[in-house]
Amino acid sequence: MRPTRIATTVLATAVGFAGVVATAPGAAAQSGCQYKVVWPTAGVYEDPNPNSAVVKTKYAGDIVGASTCEGASYNEYGYVLVTSDAAADGRGWMREGAVVAI
């Protein structure tokens, strides 16, 4: 009886590991960064620069993000990359303080 229990445990472990390996590529496809806007209103800039055009406004509670986790800085200001249809290249920038990672 004991060998059967060991074989069952080994088989269950192998199947469980195979499930993790099989789902890993799906998890990678959903990678990126997601943020929640915490300021009452926050601008989405064309470029990571406070003098850049504001192409869109987001509001507290909005969820924003991009498929890659990029950041930039301009003097004392930090920015995070967000996807935006309003930006010429589809890449908008928001101030770091305006969002929190989720």
Side-chain angles (χ1 to χ4, degrees):
M1 174 129 354
R2 183 141 175 89
T4 304
R5 186 176 302 166
I6 291 172
T8 303
T9 302
V10 169
L11 181 59
T13 303
V15 169
F17 178 72
V20 170
V21 171
T23 60
Q30 295 177 2
S31 66
C33 289
Q34 296 285 315
Y35 306 97
K36 184 175 186 177
V37 178
V38 294
W39 287 0
T41 60
V44 177
Y45 296 86
E46 183 72 40
D47 297 306
N49 176 331
N51 300 318
S52 178
V54 174
V55 295
K56 194 169 199 171
T57 302
K58 292 295 188 176
Y59 302 94
D62 287 350
I63 304 298
V64 297
S67 60
T68 61
C69 299
E70 290 184 46
S73 63
Y74 182 89
N75 291 337
E76 72 272 13
Y77 301 106
Y79 293 85
V80 295
L81 177 68
V82 296
T83 302
S84 177
D85 295 348
D89 59 358
R91 296 165 45 102
W93 297 89
M94 293 185 74
R95 294 270 304 273
E96 281 180 330
V99 297
V100 293
I102 54 173

